[in-house]
């Protein structure tokens, strides 16, 4: 019995020793870890995280406030458009004053100016004549000439295109008709009557007056292109092959060809005859 009591006393003392050591070690560990915990709480990274979290919640609250404002606006618009809030039939609506559009005024002015044009081009009463240039030296002039050409091509009517860069005689002819030394391009004549330049043709096309004037002209097939000149209206001279010189067998000397222009070209006999 005495031995059993001694063993119990030893075991109890041993357990007390282990419990004391465990408590001492745990308190020491807690004391050693507590400064680290405080450092972690007070570190800049943790503060930045906390600030970012607070900013996120603040932005979320602001978005919620904006959504509420939009909902209120839509609800107020719906309530204002409801039948109960509509004006009574006794209230008179404002009168709408109808004014004539500019296109009508432009159309009448174009028709009057076209019919009363004092400038005439003799021998062209059955065709459309356009004086233009194919050179791109002046960009604005070339773009105006190209635009007018495309407008007439859209109507599929044949146009007598007189390119002054291909033949200088057309420039002299235009100067004599308009009685001006400096002329701008393009210039359009329809049925022998002077119409105007690019701005006039574009305006007439927009208001529909040009389609009325071109109503009596024959139409070509869609995509038609002259096989002789490719719609250039000029071909090399057949007499001199474009060299502008022919050999005179009687005098045995080269002479200037009298059938072509200064560029060795003649009008296409297929589409310009």
């Amino acid at each position: 019995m005495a031995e059993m009591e001694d063993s119990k006393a030893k075991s109890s003392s041993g357990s007390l020793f282990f419990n004391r050591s465990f408590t001492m070690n745990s308190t020491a560990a807690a004391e050693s870890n507590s400064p680290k915990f405080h450092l972690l709480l007070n570190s800049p990274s943790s503060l930045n995280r906390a600030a970012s979290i607070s900013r996120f919640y603040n932005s979320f609250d602001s978005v919620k406030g904006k959504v509420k404002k939009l909902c209120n606006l839509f609800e107020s618009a719906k309530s204002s458009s409801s039948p109960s809030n509509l004006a009574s039939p006794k209230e008179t609506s404002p009168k709408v004053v109808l004014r004539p559009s500019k296109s009508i005024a432009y159309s009448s002015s174009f028709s009057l100016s076209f019919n009363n044009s004092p400038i005439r081009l003799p021998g062209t009463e059955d065709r459309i004549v356009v004086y233009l240039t194919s050179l791109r030296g002046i960009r604005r002039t070339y773009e105006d000439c190209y635009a007018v050409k495309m407008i007439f091509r859209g109507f599929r009517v044949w146009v007598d295109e007189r390119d002054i860069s291909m033949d200088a005689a057309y420039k002299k002819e235009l100067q004599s008709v308009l009685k001006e030394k400096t002329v701008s391009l393009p210039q359009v004549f329809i049925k022998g009557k002077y119409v105007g330049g690019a701005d006039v043709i574009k305006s007439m096309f927009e208001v529909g007056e040009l389609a009325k004037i071109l109503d009596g002209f024959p139409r070509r097939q869609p995509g038609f292109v002259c096989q002789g000149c490719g719609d250039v209206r000029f071909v090399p001279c057949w007499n001199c092959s474009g060299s502008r010189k022919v050999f005179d067998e009687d005098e045995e000397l080269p002479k200037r060809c009298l059938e072509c222009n200064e560029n060795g070209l003649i009008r296409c006999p297929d589409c310009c005859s």
Side-chain angles (χ1 to χ4, degrees):
M1 294 294 289
E3 290 178 357
M4 291 177 65
E5 290 177 355
D6 292 337
S7 64
K8 287 181 180 180
K10 288 180 181 179
S11 63
S12 63
S13 63
S15 62
L16 289 171
F17 174 76
F18 282 115
N19 290 332
R20 287 176 184 175
S21 64
F22 179 73
T23 54
M24 289 174 67
N25 290 329
S26 62
T27 54
E31 289 176 357
S32 63
N33 291 329
S34 61
K36 292 181 181 179
F37 182 71
H38 289 297
L39 287 172
L40 287 172
L41 289 176
N42 296 326
S43 64
S45 61
S46 61
L47 293 175
N48 291 332
R49 289 175 184 174
S52 62
I53 292 169
S54 63
R55 288 176 186 172
F56 172 75
Y57 282 110
N58 292 332
S59 62
F60 183 72
D61 293 335
S62 64
V63 170
K64 287 175 67 178
K66 291 179 180 179
V67 171
K68 287 180 180 179
K69 289 181 180 179
L70 289 173
C71 292
N72 293 330
L73 287 173
F74 282 114
E75 288 176 359
S76 62
K78 287 181 181 179
S79 62
S80 63
S81 62
S82 61
S84 60
N85 294 327
L86 292 175
S88 61
K90 293 181 181 180
E91 295 180 0
T92 58
S93 59
K95 295 182 179 180
V96 179
V97 180
L98 297 176
R99 297 180 180 178
S101 61
K102 291 183 179 180
S103 61
I104 298 173
Y106 287 160
S107 177
S108 60
S109 63
F110 287 142
S111 60
L112 288 173
S113 61
F114 175 72
N115 293 326
N116 300 325
S117 176
I119 303 174
R120 301 297 177 96
L121 185 63
T124 59
E125 289 77 11
D126 59 342
R127 66 184 67 184
I128 304 164
V129 179
V130 179
Y131 290 89
L132 49 83
T133 180
S134 58
L135 295 180
R136 305 192 183 190
I138 302 175
R139 182 177 180 180
R140 176 64 182 275
T141 302
Y142 173 77
E143 289 178 352
D144 289 342
C145 294
Y146 183 78
V148 170
K149 187 195 297 186
M150 290 298 106
I151 287 173
F152 284 111
R153 190 167 292 182
F155 287 102
R156 293 189 291 111
V157 293
W158 182 79
V159 179
D160 186 1
E161 298 177 2
R162 301 187 177 183
D163 193 343
I164 66 171
S165 62
M166 294 286 191
D167 195 343
Y170 289 142
K171 183 177 180 181
K172 297 178 181 179
E173 183 181 70
L174 182 61
Q175 289 174 345
S176 63
V177 171
L178 297 179
K179 297 179 181 180
E180 294 180 2
K181 194 170 184 179
T182 57
V183 293
S184 61
L185 296 175
Q187 297 295 334
V188 181
F189 293 82
I190 299 177
K191 296 180 181 179
K193 301 176 183 178
Y194 175 67
V195 179
D199 295 335
V200 177
I201 297 299
K202 289 177 183 178
S203 301
M204 293 177 69
F205 174 69
E206 290 174 358
V207 301
E209 186 66 20
L210 186 61
K212 296 177 183 178
I213 296 174
L214 301 179
D215 194 15
F217 286 93
R219 309 290 175 171
R220 300 195 300 179
Q221 294 294 328
F224 175 80
V225 178
C226 178
Q227 299 296 325
C229 64
D231 281 349
V232 181
R233 305 291 186 264
F234 286 94
V235 293
C237 179
W238 295 343
N239 188 29
C240 65
S241 301
S243 64
R244 299 185 299 163
K245 293 180 180 180
V246 291
F247 186 77
D248 191 353
E249 296 179 355
D250 296 335
E251 298 182 4
E252 297 183 353
L253 292 173
K255 291 186 176 180
R256 171 75 169 82
C257 180
L258 300 177
E259 296 184 7
C260 59
N261 59 14
E262 71 277 5
N263 295 317
L265 302 174
I266 60 173
R267 294 283 282 178
C268 178
D270 295 337
C271 62
C272 299
S273 57

